[in-house]
Amino acid sequence: MNIGGAKMLIRFNVKNFLSFFENESGQSEEFSMIAGKVRSKREHIYDNDKIKLLKFAAVYGANASGKSNLVKALNFMKKTIVDGLPKGHTDMYCKTDRANKEKKSYFELEIMLDDKYYAYGFEVILSQSKFVSEWLVELKSDGSEKNIFTRDIENGETEFSSELKRDKKSYEKLKNYAEDIQEDSEVLLLSIMNKNKKTLYEKYNNLKVFRNVYMWIERKLDINYPNRPISDYSYMAKTEKIDEVCKIIKAFGTGITGFQMVDVDPEEIFRMIPNRIKEEILKDVENKKVTVNRMKLKEIGIVMRSNKDFFILNIASNGKVEGKTIKFLHGEENILFNLSEESDGTVRILDLIEVLLSGANKTYVIDELDRCLHPSLTCKFVETYLQLAAERNIQLIVTTHESRLLDFDILRRDEVWFVNKRITGESDIYSLEEYNTRFDQKIDKAYLDGRYGGVPKFSTVFPVKGDE
Protein backbone atom coordinates (compact mmCIF):
# COMPACT_ATOMS: atom_id res chain seq x y z
CA MET A 1 0.00 0.00 0.00
CA ASN A 2 1.29 3.46 -0.92
CA ILE A 3 0.59 6.25 1.58
CA GLY A 4 2.56 9.18 0.18
CA GLY A 5 6.19 10.22 0.64
CA ALA A 6 7.88 7.35 2.45
CA LYS A 7 11.29 6.99 4.06
CA MET A 8 12.26 3.33 4.24
CA LEU A 9 15.12 0.84 4.18
CA ILE A 10 15.64 -0.93 0.86
CA ARG A 11 18.75 -3.03 1.40
CA PHE A 12 21.80 -3.50 3.64
CA ASN A 13 25.11 -5.05 2.63
CA VAL A 14 28.02 -6.05 4.85
CA LYS A 15 31.36 -7.79 4.34
CA ASN A 16 34.19 -8.75 6.72
CA PHE A 17 32.42 -7.88 9.96
CA LEU A 18 32.12 -10.32 12.90
CA SER A 19 30.79 -13.62 11.46
CA PHE A 20 29.93 -12.12 8.05
CA PHE A 21 32.58 -12.31 5.36
CA GLU A 22 31.26 -12.82 1.84
CA ASN A 23 28.68 -14.94 0.03
CA GLU A 24 29.42 -17.85 -2.31
CA SER A 25 29.91 -15.42 -5.22
CA GLY A 26 32.55 -13.46 -3.33
CA GLN A 27 30.20 -10.50 -2.82
CA SER A 28 29.05 -8.90 0.43
CA GLU A 29 26.26 -10.56 2.41
CA GLU A 30 22.93 -8.90 1.63
CA PHE A 31 19.72 -8.35 3.59
CA SER A 32 16.86 -6.92 1.54
CA MET A 33 13.42 -5.44 2.22
CA ILE A 34 12.52 -5.59 -1.48
CA ALA A 35 9.34 -7.63 -1.88
CA GLY A 36 9.55 -10.89 -3.82
CA LYS A 37 7.05 -12.43 -6.23
CA VAL A 38 4.56 -13.38 -3.51
CA ARG A 39 1.04 -12.26 -4.44
CA SER A 40 -0.65 -12.75 -1.09
CA LYS A 41 -0.92 -10.17 1.71
CA ARG A 42 -0.33 -7.13 -0.47
CA GLU A 43 -1.21 -4.95 2.52
CA HIS A 44 2.14 -6.01 4.02
CA ILE A 45 4.08 -4.05 1.40
CA TYR A 46 4.67 -0.46 0.33
CA ASP A 47 4.08 -0.07 -3.41
CA ASN A 48 4.57 3.19 -5.32
CA ASP A 49 4.56 1.52 -8.76
CA LYS A 50 8.35 1.84 -8.91
CA ILE A 51 9.40 -0.27 -5.96
CA LYS A 52 7.72 -2.74 -3.61
CA LEU A 53 9.12 -2.80 -0.08
CA LEU A 54 8.35 -5.09 2.86
CA LYS A 55 7.13 -3.57 6.11
CA PHE A 56 8.18 -6.58 8.19
CA ALA A 57 10.95 -9.17 8.24
CA ALA A 58 11.72 -11.95 10.74
CA VAL A 59 15.28 -13.30 10.90
CA TYR A 60 15.76 -16.84 12.26
CA GLY A 61 18.89 -18.71 13.26
CA ALA A 62 20.40 -20.93 15.89
CA ASN A 63 22.19 -19.39 18.86
CA ALA A 64 25.60 -18.09 17.69
CA SER A 65 24.55 -18.43 14.03
CA GLY A 66 25.07 -14.71 13.44
CA LYS A 67 21.54 -13.29 13.38
CA SER A 68 22.40 -10.84 16.17
CA ASN A 69 25.54 -9.93 14.20
CA LEU A 70 23.26 -8.62 11.43
CA VAL A 71 21.77 -6.20 13.98
CA LYS A 72 25.26 -5.35 15.25
CA ALA A 73 26.43 -4.63 11.70
CA LEU A 74 23.56 -2.20 11.12
CA ASN A 75 24.21 -0.57 14.48
CA PHE A 76 27.97 -0.38 13.81
CA MET A 77 27.32 1.49 10.57
CA LYS A 78 24.91 3.90 12.25
CA LYS A 79 27.20 4.55 15.23
CA THR A 80 30.21 5.10 12.96
CA ILE A 81 28.35 7.71 10.90
CA VAL A 82 26.87 9.53 13.90
CA ASP A 83 29.64 9.24 16.53
CA GLY A 84 32.72 7.88 14.75
CA LEU A 85 34.25 4.40 14.94
CA PRO A 86 32.99 2.78 18.16
CA LYS A 87 35.13 1.39 20.96
CA GLY A 88 36.55 -2.06 20.18
CA HIS A 89 36.17 -1.72 16.39
CA THR A 90 39.76 -2.83 15.65
CA ASP A 91 38.79 -6.36 16.67
CA MET A 92 35.50 -6.61 14.75
CA TYR A 93 36.70 -8.02 11.42
CA CYS A 94 35.72 -11.58 10.48
CA LYS A 95 38.24 -13.80 12.28
CA THR A 96 37.63 -17.03 10.36
CA ASP A 97 40.79 -16.23 8.37
CA ARG A 98 43.83 -14.36 9.77
CA ALA A 99 44.22 -12.57 6.44
CA ASN A 100 40.89 -10.80 7.00
CA LYS A 101 42.57 -8.57 9.60
CA GLU A 102 44.18 -6.50 6.85
CA LYS A 103 41.24 -6.68 4.44
CA LYS A 104 38.61 -4.01 3.87
CA SER A 105 35.23 -4.23 5.58
CA TYR A 106 32.26 -3.06 3.51
CA PHE A 107 29.03 -1.39 4.67
CA GLU A 108 26.26 -0.03 2.44
CA LEU A 109 22.68 1.11 3.05
CA GLU A 110 20.12 1.62 0.31
CA ILE A 111 17.24 3.84 1.41
CA MET A 112 14.17 5.50 -0.06
CA LEU A 113 13.59 9.12 0.91
CA ASP A 114 10.23 10.24 -0.47
CA ASP A 115 10.43 9.71 -4.23
CA LYS A 116 14.22 9.30 -4.42
CA TYR A 117 16.52 6.33 -3.80
CA TYR A 118 20.05 6.44 -2.44
CA ALA A 119 22.96 4.11 -1.69
CA TYR A 120 25.43 5.31 0.93
CA GLY A 121 28.42 3.30 2.06
CA PHE A 122 32.04 3.13 3.08
CA GLU A 123 34.97 0.71 3.26
CA VAL A 124 37.21 0.57 6.30
CA ILE A 125 40.18 -1.50 7.47
CA LEU A 126 38.98 -2.04 11.01
CA SER A 127 42.26 -3.24 12.53
CA GLN A 128 43.91 0.00 11.36
CA SER A 129 40.99 2.39 12.10
CA LYS A 130 41.37 3.49 8.50
CA PHE A 131 38.57 4.43 6.06
CA VAL A 132 39.45 3.53 2.49
CA SER A 133 36.52 4.83 0.46
CA GLU A 134 33.11 6.49 0.84
CA TRP A 135 30.27 7.14 -1.58
CA LEU A 136 26.74 8.48 -1.98
CA VAL A 137 24.82 7.46 -5.08
CA GLU A 138 21.34 8.27 -6.32
CA LEU A 139 19.64 5.18 -7.74
CA LYS A 140 17.26 5.69 -10.66
CA SER A 141 14.13 3.57 -11.23
CA ASP A 142 15.43 2.65 -14.71
CA GLY A 143 18.43 0.91 -13.11
CA SER A 144 20.96 3.68 -13.75
CA GLU A 145 23.01 5.42 -11.06
CA LYS A 146 24.19 8.97 -10.48
CA ASN A 147 27.19 9.57 -8.24
CA ILE A 148 26.57 12.40 -5.78
CA PHE A 149 30.06 12.01 -4.40
CA THR A 150 32.77 9.36 -4.38
CA ARG A 151 35.76 9.56 -2.09
CA ASP A 152 38.96 7.63 -2.74
CA ILE A 153 40.62 8.23 0.62
CA GLU A 154 43.78 6.22 -0.10
CA ASN A 155 44.60 8.49 -3.04
CA GLY A 156 43.19 11.68 -1.49
CA GLU A 157 40.60 12.21 -4.25
CA THR A 158 36.94 13.28 -3.99
CA GLU A 159 34.63 13.68 -6.97
CA PHE A 160 31.25 15.45 -6.88
CA SER A 161 28.32 15.30 -9.31
CA SER A 162 27.95 17.93 -12.02
CA GLU A 163 24.70 19.07 -10.35
CA LEU A 164 26.52 19.94 -7.12
CA LYS A 165 29.13 21.84 -9.13
CA ARG A 166 26.56 24.07 -10.88
CA ASP A 167 26.02 26.36 -7.89
CA LYS A 168 29.51 27.81 -7.52
CA LYS A 169 29.04 29.25 -4.02
CA SER A 170 27.71 26.04 -2.45
CA TYR A 171 30.23 23.93 -4.36
CA GLU A 172 33.09 26.07 -3.05
CA LYS A 173 31.88 25.41 0.51
CA LEU A 174 31.49 21.69 -0.19
CA LYS A 175 34.91 21.45 -1.81
CA ASN A 176 36.53 23.17 1.17
CA TYR A 177 34.98 20.70 3.62
CA ALA A 178 36.16 17.80 1.45
CA GLU A 179 39.68 19.22 1.12
CA ASP A 180 39.97 19.66 4.88
CA ILE A 181 39.59 15.87 5.29
CA GLN A 182 41.02 14.84 1.90
CA GLU A 183 43.69 12.58 3.33
CA ASP A 184 42.11 12.03 6.75
CA SER A 185 41.39 8.31 6.87
CA GLU A 186 39.59 8.54 10.22
CA VAL A 187 36.71 10.81 9.14
CA LEU A 188 33.63 10.35 6.94
CA LEU A 189 32.46 13.23 4.73
CA LEU A 190 28.79 12.51 5.52
CA SER A 191 29.59 12.92 9.23
CA ILE A 192 31.52 16.17 8.72
CA MET A 193 28.67 17.56 6.60
CA ASN A 194 26.32 17.17 9.56
CA LYS A 195 28.36 18.67 12.40
CA ASN A 196 27.15 22.22 13.14
CA LYS A 197 26.00 22.80 9.56
CA LYS A 198 22.38 23.89 10.10
CA THR A 199 22.82 27.32 8.49
CA LEU A 200 24.59 25.72 5.53
CA TYR A 201 21.45 23.81 4.53
CA GLU A 202 19.21 26.79 5.18
CA LYS A 203 21.31 28.76 2.68
CA TYR A 204 22.08 26.09 0.07
CA ASN A 205 19.10 23.90 -0.75
CA ASN A 206 21.02 21.82 -3.31
CA LEU A 207 23.22 20.38 -0.52
CA LYS A 208 20.31 19.04 1.51
CA VAL A 209 20.85 15.49 0.26
CA PHE A 210 23.74 15.23 2.77
CA ARG A 211 21.40 16.27 5.57
CA ASN A 212 18.48 14.08 4.47
CA VAL A 213 20.49 10.85 4.24
CA TYR A 214 22.23 11.51 7.57
CA MET A 215 19.02 12.38 9.41
CA TRP A 216 17.32 9.15 8.29
CA ILE A 217 20.25 7.12 9.59
CA GLU A 218 20.43 9.04 12.88
CA ARG A 219 16.71 9.45 13.68
CA LYS A 220 14.69 7.00 11.62
CA LEU A 221 16.80 3.85 11.93
CA ASP A 222 15.92 2.69 15.46
CA ILE A 223 18.05 -0.27 16.61
CA ASN A 224 17.28 -2.14 19.84
CA TYR A 225 19.02 -4.89 21.84
CA PRO A 226 17.40 -7.27 24.36
CA ASN A 227 19.30 -5.89 27.37
CA ARG A 228 18.25 -2.30 26.75
CA PRO A 229 14.79 -0.66 26.98
CA ILE A 230 13.19 -0.02 23.58
CA SER A 231 11.01 2.89 24.68
CA ASP A 232 11.42 5.87 27.01
CA TYR A 233 7.61 5.74 27.56
CA SER A 234 7.24 9.32 26.35
CA TYR A 235 4.18 8.12 24.42
CA MET A 236 2.38 7.77 27.77
CA ALA A 237 2.88 11.47 28.47
CA LYS A 238 0.88 12.40 25.35
CA THR A 239 -2.67 12.89 26.61
CA GLU A 240 -4.21 12.49 23.16
CA LYS A 241 -2.95 8.90 23.04
CA ILE A 242 -4.11 7.71 26.46
CA ASP A 243 -7.24 5.92 25.22
CA GLU A 244 -5.34 4.20 22.42
CA VAL A 245 -2.53 3.17 24.79
CA CYS A 246 -4.96 1.73 27.35
CA LYS A 247 -6.80 -0.19 24.64
CA ILE A 248 -3.59 -1.80 23.38
CA ILE A 249 -2.28 -2.61 26.88
CA LYS A 250 -5.55 -4.35 27.79
CA ALA A 251 -5.57 -6.31 24.52
CA PHE A 252 -2.28 -8.00 25.46
CA GLY A 253 -3.66 -9.43 28.70
CA THR A 254 -1.24 -7.67 31.04
CA GLY A 255 -3.89 -7.14 33.72
CA ILE A 256 -3.29 -3.38 33.48
CA THR A 257 -6.56 -1.44 33.28
CA GLY A 258 -5.05 2.03 33.07
CA PHE A 259 -2.16 4.27 34.13
CA GLN A 260 -1.56 7.64 35.76
CA MET A 261 1.23 10.18 35.77
CA VAL A 262 1.94 10.92 39.45
CA ASP A 263 4.15 13.51 41.17
CA VAL A 264 7.45 12.44 42.74
CA ASP A 265 9.84 14.59 44.77
CA PRO A 266 12.93 15.18 42.55
CA GLU A 267 15.14 14.52 45.60
CA GLU A 268 13.61 11.06 45.89
CA ILE A 269 14.42 10.42 42.23
CA PHE A 270 18.04 11.52 42.71
CA ARG A 271 18.43 9.21 45.72
CA MET A 272 17.68 6.22 43.48
CA ILE A 273 20.22 7.20 40.81
CA PRO A 274 23.95 6.29 40.93
CA ASN A 275 26.16 9.30 41.69
CA ARG A 276 27.89 9.28 38.30
CA ILE A 277 24.57 9.45 36.44
CA LYS A 278 23.12 11.90 38.98
CA GLU A 279 25.94 14.38 38.25
CA GLU A 280 25.27 14.19 34.51
CA ILE A 281 21.54 14.74 35.01
CA LEU A 282 22.10 17.71 37.31
CA LYS A 283 24.31 19.31 34.63
CA ASP A 284 21.57 18.63 32.08
CA VAL A 285 18.99 20.24 34.37
CA GLU A 286 21.10 23.42 34.63
CA ASN A 287 21.53 23.52 30.84
CA LYS A 288 17.78 23.05 30.36
CA LYS A 289 17.08 25.96 32.73
CA VAL A 290 19.16 28.21 30.46
CA THR A 291 17.38 26.85 27.37
CA VAL A 292 13.91 27.44 28.86
CA ASN A 293 14.71 31.10 29.51
CA ARG A 294 16.56 31.71 26.26
CA MET A 295 13.81 30.19 24.10
CA LYS A 296 11.01 31.58 26.32
CA LEU A 297 9.45 28.15 26.83
CA LYS A 298 6.87 27.32 29.48
CA GLU A 299 8.80 24.19 30.50
CA ILE A 300 11.13 21.51 29.18
CA GLY A 301 11.46 17.88 30.23
CA ILE A 302 14.14 15.25 30.80
CA VAL A 303 13.00 11.64 30.38
CA MET A 304 14.88 8.96 32.35
CA ARG A 305 14.32 5.26 31.80
CA SER A 306 15.97 2.08 33.10
CA ASN A 307 14.78 -1.52 32.85
CA LYS A 308 12.46 -1.12 35.82
CA ASP A 309 12.06 2.61 36.44
CA PHE A 310 10.71 5.63 34.58
CA PHE A 311 10.85 9.31 35.58
CA ILE A 312 10.32 12.70 33.99
CA LEU A 313 11.92 15.90 35.33
CA ASN A 314 10.08 19.03 34.17
CA ILE A 315 12.06 22.28 34.35
CA ALA A 316 9.75 25.35 34.46
CA SER A 317 10.60 28.86 33.24
CA ASN A 318 10.97 30.01 36.88
CA GLY A 319 13.67 27.35 37.42
CA LYS A 320 11.47 25.06 39.51
CA VAL A 321 12.05 21.32 38.93
CA GLU A 322 9.17 18.86 39.28
CA GLY A 323 9.32 15.07 39.07
CA LYS A 324 6.79 12.61 37.65
CA THR A 325 6.55 8.87 37.15
CA ILE A 326 4.02 6.41 35.75
CA LYS A 327 1.96 4.09 37.93
CA PHE A 328 -0.30 1.37 36.60
CA LEU A 329 -3.84 0.44 37.61
CA HIS A 330 -4.86 -3.18 38.17
CA GLY A 331 -8.29 -4.58 38.93
CA GLU A 332 -11.57 -2.92 39.83
CA GLU A 333 -10.20 -1.29 43.00
CA ASN A 334 -7.76 0.75 40.87
CA ILE A 335 -4.71 -0.07 43.00
CA LEU A 336 -1.59 1.72 41.70
CA PHE A 337 1.62 -0.24 40.98
CA ASN A 338 5.11 0.99 40.11
CA LEU A 339 6.81 -0.13 36.92
CA SER A 340 9.31 -2.09 39.05
CA GLU A 341 6.40 -4.22 40.34
CA GLU A 342 5.32 -5.31 36.85
CA SER A 343 6.50 -8.61 35.35
CA ASP A 344 9.30 -8.73 32.77
CA GLY A 345 6.75 -9.76 30.13
CA THR A 346 4.52 -6.77 30.89
CA VAL A 347 7.50 -4.40 30.75
CA ARG A 348 8.46 -5.91 27.39
CA ILE A 349 4.94 -5.32 26.02
CA LEU A 350 4.98 -1.75 27.33
CA ASP A 351 8.24 -1.27 25.42
CA LEU A 352 6.89 -2.76 22.20
CA ILE A 353 3.79 -0.56 22.24
CA GLU A 354 6.07 2.29 21.12
CA VAL A 355 6.37 0.52 17.73
CA LEU A 356 2.58 0.14 17.44
CA LEU A 357 2.03 3.85 18.17
CA SER A 358 4.85 5.09 15.96
CA GLY A 359 4.10 7.47 13.14
CA ALA A 360 5.34 7.03 9.59
CA ASN A 361 8.84 6.72 8.16
CA LYS A 362 10.61 4.82 10.92
CA THR A 363 12.51 1.55 10.57
CA TYR A 364 12.71 -0.41 13.84
CA VAL A 365 15.22 -3.22 14.29
CA ILE A 366 14.68 -5.40 17.39
CA ASP A 367 17.05 -8.16 18.40
CA GLU A 368 15.30 -11.07 20.16
CA LEU A 369 11.74 -9.84 19.80
CA ASP A 370 10.38 -12.80 21.79
CA ARG A 371 12.52 -12.16 24.91
CA CYS A 372 10.32 -12.46 28.04
CA LEU A 373 7.20 -12.97 25.90
CA HIS A 374 4.84 -15.96 25.82
CA PRO A 375 4.78 -17.40 22.25
CA SER A 376 1.13 -16.42 21.77
CA LEU A 377 1.95 -12.82 22.79
CA THR A 378 4.78 -12.66 20.24
CA CYS A 379 2.40 -13.77 17.49
CA LYS A 380 -0.29 -11.36 18.65
CA PHE A 381 2.16 -8.47 18.65
CA VAL A 382 3.32 -9.23 15.09
CA GLU A 383 -0.26 -9.64 13.85
CA THR A 384 -1.26 -6.34 15.52
CA TYR A 385 1.76 -4.60 14.02
CA LEU A 386 0.96 -5.87 10.51
CA GLN A 387 -2.65 -4.66 10.80
CA LEU A 388 -1.51 -1.17 11.82
CA ALA A 389 1.37 -1.09 9.31
CA ALA A 390 -1.12 -1.53 6.46
CA GLU A 391 -1.99 2.15 6.99
CA ARG A 392 1.52 3.46 7.70
CA ASN A 393 4.90 3.78 6.03
CA ILE A 394 6.81 1.91 8.73
CA GLN A 395 9.14 -1.10 8.92
CA LEU A 396 9.95 -3.65 11.62
CA ILE A 397 12.88 -6.09 11.37
CA VAL A 398 13.26 -8.63 14.18
CA THR A 399 15.44 -11.56 15.11
CA THR A 400 13.53 -14.37 16.80
CA HIS A 401 13.35 -18.07 17.63
CA GLU A 402 9.53 -18.10 17.64
CA SER A 403 8.64 -20.78 15.07
CA ARG A 404 4.88 -20.12 15.40
CA LEU A 405 5.40 -17.06 13.20
CA LEU A 406 6.50 -19.39 10.40
CA ASP A 407 2.96 -19.61 9.14
CA PHE A 408 1.73 -18.41 5.75
CA ASP A 409 -1.48 -17.30 7.45
CA ILE A 410 0.63 -14.69 9.30
CA LEU A 411 3.61 -13.89 7.09
CA ARG A 412 4.56 -13.77 3.44
CA ARG A 413 7.34 -16.07 2.27
CA ASP A 414 9.64 -13.11 1.50
CA GLU A 415 9.25 -11.78 5.05
CA VAL A 416 11.16 -14.77 6.47
CA TRP A 417 14.97 -14.80 6.57
CA PHE A 418 17.49 -17.33 7.90
CA VAL A 419 21.05 -16.97 9.13
CA ASN A 420 23.12 -20.14 9.04
CA LYS A 421 26.72 -20.69 10.10
CA ARG A 422 29.03 -22.60 7.75
CA ILE A 423 31.50 -25.20 9.01
CA THR A 424 34.19 -22.53 8.56
CA GLY A 425 32.38 -20.28 11.08
CA GLU A 426 31.14 -17.67 8.59
CA SER A 427 27.46 -16.70 8.49
CA ASP A 428 25.20 -16.78 5.43
CA ILE A 429 21.93 -14.89 5.28
CA TYR A 430 19.14 -15.85 2.88
CA SER A 431 15.41 -15.48 2.38
CA LEU A 432 12.76 -18.21 2.35
CA GLU A 433 11.90 -16.73 -1.04
CA GLU A 434 15.01 -18.51 -2.35
CA TYR A 435 13.31 -21.85 -1.66
CA ASN A 436 10.53 -23.31 -3.80
CA THR A 437 8.11 -23.71 -0.91
CA ARG A 438 4.50 -24.68 -1.58
CA PHE A 439 1.88 -22.63 0.27
CA ASP A 440 0.55 -25.68 2.09
CA GLN A 441 4.00 -26.50 3.47
CA LYS A 442 4.25 -26.59 7.28
CA ILE A 443 7.09 -24.10 7.45
CA ASP A 444 7.58 -24.23 11.22
CA LYS A 445 8.05 -28.03 11.17
CA ALA A 446 10.39 -27.88 8.18
CA TYR A 447 12.44 -25.18 9.94
CA LEU A 448 12.70 -27.16 13.17
CA ASP A 449 13.62 -30.27 11.14
CA GLY A 450 16.54 -28.26 9.74
CA ARG A 451 15.41 -28.03 6.14
CA TYR A 452 16.21 -24.32 5.88
CA GLY A 453 19.25 -24.32 8.16
CA GLY A 454 19.41 -21.84 11.01
CA VAL A 455 18.65 -24.40 13.73
CA PRO A 456 21.04 -25.86 16.32
CA LYS A 457 22.94 -29.04 15.51
CA PHE A 458 23.32 -31.02 18.74
CA SER A 459 26.03 -33.58 19.30
CA THR A 460 26.33 -36.05 22.15
CA VAL A 461 29.03 -35.10 24.62
CA PHE A 462 29.12 -38.51 26.26
CA PRO A 463 28.36 -41.59 24.13
CA VAL A 464 25.33 -43.52 25.29
CA LYS A 465 26.27 -47.07 26.24
CA GLY A 466 23.99 -49.94 25.43
CA ASP A 467 22.73 -52.44 28.00
CA GLU A 468 25.49 -54.69 29.22
Side-chain angles (χ1 to χ4, degrees):
M1 183 175 182
N2 178 16
I3 323 163
K7 296 175 175 63
M8 304 175 89
L9 174 67
I10 300 174
R11 216 166 4 209
F12 174 63
N13 286 72
V14 61
K15 183 175 181 178
N16 195 19
F17 181 79
L18 299 180
S19 60
F20 291 107
F21 186 60
E22 59 186 28
N23 62 21
E24 293 176 351
S25 303
Q27 303 299 312
S28 56
E29 291 285 347
E30 178 179 290
F31 172 79
S32 174
M33 293 297 282
I34 298 173
K37 298 177 181 178
V38 181
R39 295 183 180 180
S40 65
K41 298 180 175 57
R42 293 180 182 272
E43 70 276 10
H44 288 202
I45 66 171
Y46 169 92
D47 183 359
N48 66 359
D49 297 325
K50 294 179 182 178
I51 192 168
K52 294 181 175 66
L53 294 177
L54 299 170
K55 295 183 178 181
F56 179 79
V59 182
Y60 288 83
N63 289 330
S65 63
K67 62 184 185 299
S68 290
N69 286 344
L70 177 66
V71 179
K72 289 176 183 176
L74 270 165
N75 193 52
F76 174 88
M77 186 174 187
K78 175 178 176 173
K79 290 283 187 184
T80 298
I81 294 164
V82 176
D83 301 317
L85 287 165
K87 185 178 179 180
H89 67 272
T90 56
D91 210 31
M92 291 181 179
Y93 58 89
C94 183
K95 295 179 182 174
T96 56
D97 186 333
R98 289 182 181 178
N100 293 346
K101 183 175 182 178
E102 306 305 323
K103 290 181 180 178
K104 294 179 285 189
S105 296
Y106 178 100
F107 299 85
E108 184 178 66
L109 280 168
E110 289 182 20
I111 58 177
M112 174 175 65
L113 300 181
D114 300 322
D115 58 346
K116 294 197 173 184
Y117 312 88
Y118 300 99
Y120 170 77
F122 56 81
E123 290 179 303
V124 56
I125 301 176
L126 292 169
S127 63
Q128 301 176 18
S129 307
K130 177 182 174 183
F131 290 110
V132 177
S133 63
E134 182 186 8
W135 61 91
L136 177 59
V137 177
E138 183 177 349
L139 309 170
K140 301 292 187 178
S141 55
D142 61 5
S144 62
E145 298 181 355
K146 181 179 75 177
N147 286 337
I148 295 171
F149 82 85
T150 54
R151 188 169 168 232
D152 181 348
I153 301 169
E154 288 184 307
N155 294 312
E157 298 174 356
T158 304
E159 183 59 44
F160 294 101
S161 68
S162 54
E163 285 185 13
L164 288 175
K165 292 178 179 178
R166 280 186 199 136
D167 187 305
K168 291 184 179 179
K169 287 186 178 179
S170 64
Y171 175 59
E172 196 62 34
K173 287 270 188 184
L174 182 59
K175 192 170 67 169
N176 288 340
Y177 292 134
E179 286 175 352
D180 286 344
I181 60 166
Q182 191 87 295
E183 296 178 6
D184 191 340
S185 62
E186 297 183 3
V187 178
L188 292 171
L189 180 60
L190 187 68
S191 302
I192 289 295
M193 291 298 293
N194 285 280
K195 302 300 181 195
N196 304 315
K197 300 290 192 300
K198 185 179 178 181
T199 55
L200 177 73
Y201 298 112
E202 290 173 352
K203 191 172 183 179
Y204 302 111
N205 191 62
N206 65 320
L207 298 181
K208 279 190 175 178
V209 62
F210 290 92
R211 186 73 170 162
N212 294 341
V213 171
Y214 179 91
M215 294 302 284
W216 183 88
I217 294 168
E218 182 191 35
R219 299 188 181 180
K220 299 299 183 181
L221 181 60
D222 194 310
I223 301 171
N224 302 277
Y225 291 109
N227 59 344
R228 275 184 256 164
I230 294 171
S231 171
D232 63 6
Y233 291 170
S234 56
Y235 67 82
M236 292 188 182
K238 297 175 182 176
T239 53
E240 72 276 9
K241 290 203 180 253
I242 285 179
D243 290 341
E244 187 180 359
V245 171
C246 287
K247 183 179 177 182
I248 293 172
I249 290 174
K250 289 177 185 177
F252 283 101
T254 60
I256 293 174
T257 55
F259 62 88
Q260 291 180 7
M261 298 294 292
V262 298
D263 294 330
V264 183
D265 187 336
E267 289 302 319
E268 184 181 336
I269 295 173
F270 289 130
R271 279 196 294 271
M272 292 185 278
I273 297 173
N275 285 333
R276 179 180 55 82
I277 299 173
K278 177 182 174 180
E279 288 173 8
E280 292 177 8
I281 293 171
L282 287 171
K283 285 181 185 176
D284 200 10
V285 167
E286 292 305 313
N287 291 334
K288 291 286 194 298
K289 285 180 180 179
V290 174
T291 303
V292 167
N293 288 319
R294 180 165 47 84
M295 299 185 70
K296 297 181 179 179
L297 301 172
K298 184 178 178 182
E299 65 178 19
I300 195 168
I302 299 172
V303 178
M304 296 175 288
R305 168 76 206 279
S306 68
N307 285 335
K308 284 287 190 176
D309 282 305
F310 168 85
F311 300 104
I312 295 175
L313 290 175
N314 286 324
I315 298 98
S317 55
N318 62 3
K320 185 178 180 182
V321 180
E322 294 180 341
K324 290 185 179 295
T325 189
I326 294 175
K327 291 198 175 185
F328 299 92
L329 299 164
H330 285 260
E332 295 179 1
E333 296 183 15
N334 287 338
I335 299 171
L336 287 170
F337 291 84
N338 294 317
L339 178 65
S340 58
E341 296 176 280
E342 300 293 344
S343 70
D344 290 342
T346 295
V347 173
R348 184 66 167 169
I349 285 293
L350 293 171
D351 273 351
L352 292 171
I353 286 173
E354 164 119 343
V355 180
L356 301 181
L357 293 171
S358 175
N361 300 322
K362 205 156 186 184
T363 298
Y364 285 94
V365 182
I366 301 177
D367 194 17
E368 295 185 27
L369 172 71
D370 45 339
R371 184 183 67 84
C372 298
L373 290 184
H374 187 279
S376 61
L377 272 182
T378 303
C379 292
K380 183 172 179 61
F381 171 78
V382 171
E383 289 174 324
T384 305
Y385 164 80
L386 289 169
Q387 289 169 9
L388 295 172
E391 303 300 324
R392 299 175 191 168
N393 297 329
I394 187 172
Q395 291 173 305
L396 174 61
I397 300 162
V398 305
T399 71
T400 181
H401 292 288
E402 184 45 67
S403 63
R404 294 190 196 188
L405 288 173
L406 294 171
D407 184 336
F408 288 141
D409 288 335
I410 301 175
L411 300 181
R412 293 161 51 101
R413 193 169 61 227
D414 49 6
E415 292 173 318
V416 178
W417 284 77
F418 299 104
V419 176
N420 193 42
K421 188 162 280 190
R422 305 176 197 164
I423 296 174
T424 57
E426 296 161 4
S427 297
D428 288 318
I429 183 164
Y430 48 90
S431 169
L432 184 59
E433 178 81 347
E434 295 178 27
Y435 288 87
N436 183 21
T437 304
R438 296 186 356 255
F439 280 89
D440 59 353
Q441 170 76 53
K442 288 289 290 180
I443 297 299
D444 57 344
K445 184 178 186 302
Y447 166 67
L448 293 172
D449 286 344
R451 177 176 171 187
Y452 306 115
V455 292
K457 294 181 176 65
F458 298 106
S459 59
T460 304
V461 179
F462 301 106
V464 179
K465 296 180 181 179
D467 294 332
E468 293 179 0

